Amino acid sequence: MSDFCVKFHLSDSAYMTALRLVAGAVCSFKDIDVDTSEDFKVCVTESAIILKNCGFDQAEFVFSADKKVVCRVTGVGGSPKPSENEFSLALVSALVSNCDIEQKNGIIEQVTLIV
Amino acid sequence: MIDEREADNLFREYRRTHDVALRNRLVENYLYIAEILAKKFSGRGVEYDDLYQVASEALIAGVEKFDPDLGNRFTTYITPTVTGMIKNYFRDYSRSVRVPRRLYSVAVKVREATDEYFAEFGVKPTVKQLSEQLKLPEELIIEALECRSPVSLDAGVKTSGEEEKESPLYELISDNGSAFEKFEDKESLKAEIEKLDPTEKKVISLRFLQGKSQSEVGKILGVSQMFVSRAERKIVEKLKEALL
């Protein structure tokens, strides 16, 4: 499957449902069970909230489904600043099999989720 | 009251002429059915007047469609129709997030099929498996899975009373006591909670000791209500696994 990209303004929470549908569809493509898929969907939307907390005004979500399902969430624009996300990140890490956080000067810029 | 034979003749006449005055005469004649059925369902959180209106609309639609020459009596035909419309109204009214009725019906089937699959195989199904089992397109299953997303406890819900008002959902849910009180072996539970990591302990503390709603916990910890719900479920599953 080719990479699938979604980008939207984080201030518009209505797009979160569309994002969940995309995440669910990608999981379905890889025959991932509905429970694991739900964990993944929650983590994808939560990553968006983490980036919003960090001051980004847009987020870009790139989904791929080769050996595993991967979602790379990157913050775009806005006025990024360090933010308290310790709890959020701990739970994201607990829900997906692999989670990679990229930070620069204490600001989370990218979250990569793998199931 | 119009007798049965005369009513059948009026129905035939209405089918031929579509005369509104004739239709209204038939509706008035059978309005008592709408009244009885609306009363039967009143006192369950929806105003009687609203139910009566729904029942009356169903009655009008029924009068317009009824054909006496198909062999049914009107009362036999209209009772399940009106009852069905009232039930649909309850179904729509009681949901805090409105979803199309067809999608909601699919969501119910998906939930049942998921539970059955888990009971049989011990693992949750994939969308493809659900699609094959329910003979529905995968896209529809994916959409229906969104219908079971948790609803915020702070979400406003319309309530009926002397005057219609909106209350947060958490005010309408009775407190049946903490789920943790149901565990007989409290000492074992305490020991298992001690093994949780600090963040998980914080969720337990805020939710079950301080009695905060998922939404409030989300605000304190800077995460969404949905996320707290998911985390809570995971923690409870972990504790159950350790204790059973």
Side-chain angles (χ1 to χ4, degrees), chain B residues 18-208:
Chain B
H18 296 285
D19 179 356
V20 176
L22 206 54
R23 183 201 68 179
N24 291 349
R25 198 175 154 205
L26 284 162
V27 169
E28 277 167 28
N29 188 55
Y30 291 106
L31 212 48
Y32 74 94
I33 297 176
E35 199 180 324
I36 291 169
L37 292 174
K39 272 183 189 156
K40 193 180 159 194
F41 285 92
S42 65
R44 301 184 194 184
V46 180
E47 289 291 309
Y48 166 76
D49 286 350
D50 292 341
L51 294 177
Y52 185 55
Q53 187 179 330
V54 171
S56 303
E57 283 172 9
L59 176 70
I60 294 168
V63 166
E64 286 174 348
K65 284 180 192 161
F66 182 67
D67 181 354
D69 296 324
L70 292 177
N72 280 328
R73 291 173 67 178
F74 182 72
T75 47
T76 315
Y77 159 81
I78 200 65
T79 305
T81 309
V82 173
T83 307
M85 288 301 286
I86 292 176
K87 282 182 181 172
N88 284 343
Y89 184 75
F90 266 100
R91 190 193 291 173
D92 287 348
Y93 188 92
S94 60
R95 286 185 60 79
S96 48
V97 174
R98 303 290 161 100
V99 292
R101 193 173 300 143
R102 182 165 175 266
L103 196 56
Y104 180 66
S105 306
V106 175
V108 171
K109 285 181 192 162
V110 166
R111 195 159 42 239
E112 285 169 1
T114 303
D115 291 344
E116 281 167 19
Y117 190 94
F118 185 71
E120 193 173 346
F121 301 105
V123 288
K124 292 289 171 78
T126 65
V127 169
K128 197 176 283 175
Q129 287 161 337
L130 287 168
S131 161
E132 281 164 8
Q133 192 179 335
L134 297 171
K135 294 182 176 53
L136 292 168
E138 286 182 34
E139 290 83 357
L140 190 59
I141 306 281
I142 291 168
E143 236 183 304
L145 284 167
E146 286 308 298
C147 295
R148 60 177 196 174
S149 299
V151 174
S152 168
L153 288 172
D154 285 327
V157 176
K158 280 186 179 164
T159 55
S160 30
E162 280 180 15
E163 54 179 6
E164 191 172 75
K165 60 170 188 167
E166 201 165 79
S167 307
L169 186 58
Y170 67 79
E171 276 188 16
L172 306 174
I173 299 172
S174 62
D175 181 11
N176 295 324
S178 163
F180 283 81
E181 285 170 14
K182 291 174 186 161
F183 282 101
E184 286 176 9
D185 192 348
K186 286 184 184 175
E187 284 307 310
S188 306
L189 177 63
K190 208 172 162 185
E192 288 306 321
I193 289 175
E194 282 305 312
K195 291 180 195 166
L196 296 174
D197 67 42
T199 49
E200 290 173 332
K201 274 187 204 163
K202 204 166 180 181
V203 172
I204 294 291
S205 164
L206 290 166
R207 280 286 289 141
F208 298 104

